[in-house]
Amino acid sequence: MTMPGQPSQPIILYGFKRSGHCHRVELFLNLAQLPYRYVEVNLSGGEHKRPEFLAMNRFAQVPVIDDGGVVLADSNAILVYLAGRYAPRWYPAEVLQHAQIQRWFSAAAGLLAFGPAMARAIALFRPTEDARDAITRAHRLFAVMDAELVQHQYLIGNQPTLADIAMYSYTAHAPEGKVSLEQFANIQTWLSRIETLPGFIPMPIAGTQPV
C-alpha cells in the first residue's frame, strides 16, 4: 500500500550530475524522502537533443521528471510540483510566503543563473571566455543574500523552504567559478545549516567523479 504523501512508484529524474539545476531537484527529493531513480543524460553526446528527450522537454534541457506519467521540466517548476504534491511544508500556503519564495525563484533564474552559475560554467567548460561580468553579478547577489540572512536562519524565515533549495547549489559551488564566499559569513552559515539537514546530499565538486 502506498503511504500518504508518497508516489506510487519511484520518480524518474533525468539529469546531469554537475548541473546545479539538476542538483536542486535531487537534493529536494532526498530532503523530502521521496523515492526516485536517477537517469544521467549524456549532454556531451547530444542525448538531450534526440527525439525521445525532446518529447519530454522541447527546450532540450535537464532536469526532467517523470512521476508516474506526469512529465515535467524546469527545476523550479519541478520543486513547486513535488512540494505541492508530496511535501507541502517546503512550500507554505500563506500568500506572503508564496510571494517571498517566488522572489527567490526569480533571483535563481536571474542573478544566480547569470552570476555564479555562469562564472562556474565559464571556468569549467569555456575557460577562454571573460567571466568578469558574471563574477560582478555574483558579488551583487551575494551581498543581498548575506544582508538578508542577518535577519533569520533561512532565506524567508527560520525554517527551510523551496527558496533555500533553489538558491543552494550554485551558491555552494560559486568558488568553482572563482567567486569567493569568504566575505559572506552569513551565507557560509546558511550553507552549513542546509548541509546538516537530514537527507542532504552534495553536488559533485569539479574534478571528481559523479556518483
Side-chain angles (χ1 to χ4, degrees):
M1 180 179 296
T2 302
M3 296 176 59
Q6 288 284 305
S8 60
Q9 57 190 346
I11 296 165
I12 303 172
L13 170 57
Y14 297 90
F16 176 66
K17 285 287 187 176
R18 300 201 194 285
S19 162
H21 289 81
C22 298
H23 179 256
R24 68 178 63 149
V25 175
E26 187 177 20
L27 174 60
F28 183 73
L29 287 166
N30 279 272
L31 293 174
Q33 299 182 323
L34 298 175
Y36 71 96
R37 178 167 63 89
Y38 198 105
V39 177
E40 182 82 357
V41 178
N42 183 357
L43 301 185
S44 62
E47 191 174 353
H48 57 305
K49 297 180 180 179
R50 295 176 185 170
E52 55 269 30
F53 189 88
L54 292 173
M56 296 189 293
N57 183 9
R58 292 187 180 91
F59 287 116
Q61 296 172 334
V62 290
V64 175
I65 63 164
D66 183 342
D67 179 22
V70 175
V71 177
L72 188 62
D74 181 85
S75 59
N76 289 343
I78 292 169
L79 291 180
V80 169
Y81 167 80
L82 292 174
R85 185 163 186 181
Y86 301 116
R89 76 178 184 88
W90 289 89
Y91 195 41
E94 198 273 323
V95 173
L96 178 58
Q97 289 178 306
H98 263 209
Q100 290 170 328
I101 290 172
Q102 181 57 54
R103 175 176 176 247
W104 287 108
F105 280 172
S106 296
L111 281 175
L112 186 74
F114 294 98
M118 181 175 288
R120 176 178 176 268
I122 290 172
L124 296 182
F125 307 115
R126 308 189 300 273
T128 60
E129 291 187 22
D130 188 344
R132 285 178 292 182
D133 287 347
I135 292 171
T136 297
R137 286 190 288 268
H139 287 153
R140 183 153 55 102
L141 170 65
F142 290 161
V144 172
M145 289 175 64
D146 201 70
E148 297 208 5
L149 286 164
V150 171
Q151 305 171 46
H152 28 66
Q153 295 181 347
Y154 295 96
L155 287 174
I156 70 165
N158 292 322
Q159 296 296 325
T161 67
L162 293 186
D164 302 285
I165 305 303
M167 297 298 292
Y168 171 80
S169 303
Y170 285 123
T171 300
H173 285 257
E176 293 180 358
K178 300 181 174 61
V179 179
S180 174
L181 296 173
E182 289 185 6
Q183 62 182 304
F184 303 113
N186 296 316
I187 288 179
Q188 293 182 61
T189 300
W190 168 75
L191 292 172
S192 296
R193 286 196 183 101
I194 294 173
E195 289 160 6
T196 58
L197 292 172
F200 172 83
I201 58 164
M203 184 166 79
I205 297 171
T208 65
Q209 290 297 317
V211 295

